[in-house]
DNA sequence: CCCACTATTGATAATGATTGTCGAAATCAG
DNA sequence: CTGATTTCGACAATCATTATCAATAGTGGG
């Protein structure tokens, strides 16, 4: 019942650094982003990176996918909040955004046909990017 | 250099029990299958359940998917080794097999267009099944 | 500019799923 | 039946992620 004043987030040095690091276009784990930040001179803590990434996912500024091994990978996307999917390199994480026009409607139909509600879908393509293939990392 | 004789797996009481338990049609975590086995009177160990499920996935007899939370879920499918996808209840795990006709070819095209090789794809639909919705578990 | 009030940080402990270890028990070919 | 090997299972170890909590640092007012 309390007015519940919106708690506006503070702009801290750590959050600036994390946003800056996310400037690239790869899917990486929280730990990987943390390593990169540290190697770039930041002293940000791991827990802070996890918290910031989670917040960014919630606000729609960052996309996350769960890898085959169960790790969560994060990436700042070009499409903003718009719904889209990815073709991601399994080796280096580099991703391009794709869309699957026919599928969005198809998913709803399938759900209806089986009486399932609140349908969500996951579509991810993975492969080995040209660079990784050339480097024999495939 | 050694002939490397194919080591055929032994049929143990535990493996029989696990295969029997998997007779149902839900996606469940290894821990969940283990609980069910124990509550049905089995004394099988958790590690054994993990090992058996992994082996069954490798042999193509069981499907696995990684849930949103990163848990791996297992299910014996009707389609055998054939490639297919699922519509799964996020609450109880019940799943139906679906196919996504045009997508298989589409995936390859997208991969080629971006120079990515060894393309794999994941398509999973999740929702709340009629039973779970009726029970207010949605 | 200084203070007080909190949100945030970060080192570390805790959690939870999964995998590794290793002596004991069980399978199965001979 | 018997011995060589596989498999079991209790438990420790690992790995990603989350919770703790005292210390630190934005922010808004004076
Ligand atoms: Zn790559
Ligand atoms: Zn979509
Ligand atoms: Zn259900
Ligand atoms: Zn497919």
């Amino acid at each position: 019942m309390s007015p519940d004043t919106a708690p506006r987030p503070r702009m801290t040095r750590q959050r600036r650094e994390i946003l800056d690091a996310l400037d690239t276009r790869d899917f990486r784990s929280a730990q990987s982003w943390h390593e990169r930040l540290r190697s770039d001179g930041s002293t940000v803590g791991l827990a802070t990176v996890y918290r910031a990434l989670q917040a960014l996912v919630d606000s729609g500024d960052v996309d996350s996918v769960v890898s085959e091994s169960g790790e969560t990978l994060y990436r700042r996307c070009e499409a903003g909040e718009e719904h889209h999917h990815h073709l991601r390199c399994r080796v280096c994480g580099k991703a391009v955004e794709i869309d699957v026009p026919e599928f969005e409607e198809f998913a709803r139909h399938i759900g209806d046909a089986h009486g399932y509600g609140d349908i969500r879908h996951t579509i991810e393509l993975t492969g080995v990017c040209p660079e990784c293939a050339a480097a024999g990392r495939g």
Side-chain angles (χ1 to χ4, degrees), chain A:
Chain A
M1 296 301 180
S2 60
D4 207 314
T5 50
R8 52 259 133 164
R10 293 177 180 174
M11 184 48 57
T12 65
R13 170 177 56 82
Q14 291 84 343
R15 284 182 185 159
R16 259 190 303 275
E17 289 176 354
I18 292 169
L19 259 319
D20 287 350
L22 283 170
D23 187 24
T24 68
R25 290 286 106 90
D26 302 330
F27 272 106
R28 293 184 187 289
S29 67
Q31 314 220 36
S32 174
W33 284 119
H34 179 242
E35 281 172 29
R36 166 172 290 201
L37 281 158
R38 301 290 278 225
S39 77
D40 283 356
S42 172
T43 62
V44 69
L46 178 58
T48 299
V49 174
Y50 271 103
R51 283 184 291 239
L53 288 172
Q54 190 50 61
L56 288 165
V57 169
D58 291 345
S59 68
D61 295 310
V62 162
D63 273 12
S64 68
V65 302
V66 177
S67 77
E68 311 74 55
S69 68
E71 265 189 318
T72 302
L73 308 177
Y74 304 87
R75 177 197 201 247
R76 181 145 127 219
C77 282
E78 337 208 348
E81 312 212 11
E82 288 156 56
H83 176 79
H84 62 277
H85 302 282
H86 304 99
L87 167 59
R88 169 173 54 87
C89 175
R90 280 191 298 276
V91 180
C92 70
K94 184 170 57 182
V96 298
E97 304 177 12
I98 62 179
D99 60 72
V100 193
E102 306 86 358
F103 193 83
E104 309 300 326
E105 185 60 19
F106 177 75
R108 213 160 306 136
H109 278 305
I110 295 273
D112 289 347
H114 293 276
Y116 280 54
D118 194 7
I119 299 295
R120 296 177 211 166
H121 64 267
T122 301
I123 303 178
E124 286 288 315
L125 300 190
T126 65
V128 180
C129 77
E131 286 74 20
C132 287
R137 292 193 294 265

